[in-house]
Amino acid sequence: MSDLAPRDRLGRVLSKQGVDRPPVICTGGMMNAAVLGVMEEEAAPKLPAAHFSSEGMAALAEAVHHATGFENIGVPFCMTVEPEVLGSRIDPGTLACEPKIAAEAYASSAAVDIHDVRTLLKWGRIGTVVQAAYYLKRRNPEVPIIASLSGPVSTAASVVDPLSFLKELRTKPQDAHRVLDYVTRLLIAYAEEVARNGADVIAIGDPTATGEILGPKIFRDYAVRYINQLCDAVHAAGKPVIVHICGDMSRSREYLADLHCDAISTDAKVNLVRLKEDYPQLNTMGNVSTTLLEFGDAEKVSRTTERLVRDGIDIISPACGLSTSTGLDNIRALTGAVKTTRLN
């Protein structure tokens, strides 16, 4: 099996089939690897321009794949595509700083205007991401193309003032559910469109849905409910799903097994070995510390990665979003260790 193409290796893991070694990936979106070193080393489009051009996005994503050794190609490079479509104002960032929400569209959940989600697909940069996936799939048939979406809770908290929205999850549940239903319907339509046009895998990054912020009951009642609606729709479209949840999940970890995803990606705070022991049905993904990747040395990155491989983690990946100042030497130490660590 050592001659498996990257697309086949990841596909086999996500469908719980045997492989020679774990894939090593970085999904894009909140887990974006378009670091400064890639743009300095590769003759590729630069950020922020590549956020707004389908060909530029595709070319930069290919450059990330070639420069880092990650065994996938991921688009987009930020978490602002969906909030912008839904009316929030974004700061497009710079070469060294990813886009951010400059102003949420609404002050409260009750104020959110509901639009037809099929019409929304024609707005903003959704079409840019979909077209980039189309180009990438045709140019890289052996490499898995991952389209990364912002999760329902994170998207909603980027459209409604986040302090208000998080409070309203408890105080105004009817309004909060109305917004999350709307947001999730858009995410489903977006996922279906990008899946039809080239994405092999859909990744959902929902950092605001962490149990540290929501607590176990709200995590169960909101995050699990709407993430699962999105996962079920992606599966109906014939694609596997990876879900990333940030932070310390100790208070809500029992509900991770309720997620309808094909792999669960976690922060470095989560003990993946213990998670795998407690919930053997889960495919585990992660979780090399991004602090280590930014500030550590390549030898320690290699040792940490080798331990995750030997511990049987199913997919190796950074634990969260990479700082743009993360050095290529450390990223290559991560990807190289996965490919050279012997399991016998």
Side-chain angles (χ1 to χ4, degrees):
M1 259 185 263
S2 60
D3 58 349
L4 283 173
R7 181 172 177 266
D8 295 334
R9 183 178 288 110
L10 180 60
R12 288 180 68 88
V13 168
L14 292 174
S15 59
K16 295 187 176 294
Q17 300 179 63
V19 289
D20 53 332
R21 61 165 175 82
V24 54
I25 67 172
C26 194
T27 60
M30 69 163 291
M31 298 175 72
N32 159 44
V35 298
L36 286 171
V38 171
M39 290 181 281
E40 292 167 352
E41 183 174 290
E42 299 281 327
K46 306 294 188 287
L47 297 175
H51 293 301
F52 303 95
S53 158
S54 54
E55 180 52 55
M57 184 179 292
L60 180 54
E62 287 171 323
V64 169
H65 166 64
H66 292 301
T68 62
F70 286 123
E71 296 178 303
N72 73 289
I73 302 176
V75 290
F77 310 117
C78 70
M79 294 186 68
T80 60
V81 172
E82 303 92 342
E84 184 182 27
V85 166
L86 290 162
S88 291
R89 181 165 56 86
I90 69 160
D91 174 345
T94 65
L95 182 72
C97 182
E98 64 189 21
K100 296 180 176 62
I101 304 299
E104 292 80 17
Y106 303 99
S108 69
S109 298
V112 173
D113 296 319
I114 305 297
H115 298 278
D116 176 70
V117 297
R118 291 291 163 186
T119 300
L120 292 178
L121 292 180
K122 302 172 186 177
W123 296 4
R125 288 175 288 145
I126 285 179
T128 304
V129 179
V130 170
Q131 189 67 38
Y134 177 87
Y135 292 148
L136 289 166
K137 182 64 178 176
R138 278 142 190 81
R139 298 201 298 243
N140 304 275
E142 298 300 310
V143 181
I145 310 304
I146 300 180
S148 186
L149 278 60
S150 299
V153 175
S154 297
T155 303
S158 297
V159 175
V160 178
D161 174 82
L163 294 179
S164 296
F165 179 73
L166 292 171
K167 183 186 295 184
E168 288 164 353
L169 292 172
R170 293 171 172 83
T171 63
K172 297 183 178 180
Q174 186 173 353
D175 290 341
H177 278 297
R178 171 178 170 271
V179 173
L180 280 163
D181 173 75
Y182 174 44
V183 162
T184 303
R185 286 189 290 109
L186 172 64
L187 293 172
I188 287 170
Y190 178 14
E192 290 171 343
E193 188 72 10
V194 75
R196 276 195 296 269
N197 283 276
D200 297 296
V201 179
I202 301 297
I204 303 167
D206 212 343
T208 310
T210 176
E212 285 181 299
I213 295 175
L214 300 184
K217 183 178 185 303
I218 298 295
F219 180 80
R220 179 197 66 198
D221 292 348
Y222 288 95
V224 172
R225 172 176 171 173
Y226 290 101
I227 289 172
N228 280 349
Q229 287 184 17
L230 179 52
C231 289
D232 291 346
V234 173
H235 287 148
K239 304 295 181 179
V241 189
I242 295 168
V243 171
H244 177 84
I245 304 288
C246 279
D248 180 359
M249 290 300 297
S250 56
R251 295 176 61 208
S252 304
R253 73 192 296 274
E254 65 182 290
Y255 300 116
L256 293 177
D258 294 334
L259 293 170
H260 298 174
C261 56
D262 302 287
I264 181 72
S265 166
T266 70
D267 205 330
K269 296 178 181 179
V270 176
N271 185 320
L272 285 182
V273 174
R274 191 168 302 152
L275 185 67
K276 197 170 183 62
E277 289 172 350
D278 292 344
Y279 305 103
Q281 73 273 27
L282 292 178
N283 269 331
T284 50
M285 173 171 151
N287 60 353
V288 181
S289 164
T290 52
T291 302
L292 173 63
L293 285 164
E294 183 177 6
F295 298 110
D297 60 72
E299 183 179 351
K300 187 170 183 181
V301 170
S302 292
R303 290 199 307 270
T304 299
T305 304
E306 288 168 4
R307 184 168 62 250
L308 288 167
V309 173
R310 293 196 174 103
D311 284 342
I313 305 311
D314 299 289
I315 302 169
I316 308 300
S317 175
C320 201
L322 290 168
S323 165
T324 55
S325 61
T326 303
L328 277 176
D329 286 347
N330 279 1
I331 295 174
R332 289 166 176 161
L334 185 164
T335 58
V338 176
K339 296 170 187 178
T340 58
T341 298
R342 296 186 178 276
L343 297 177
N344 298 322

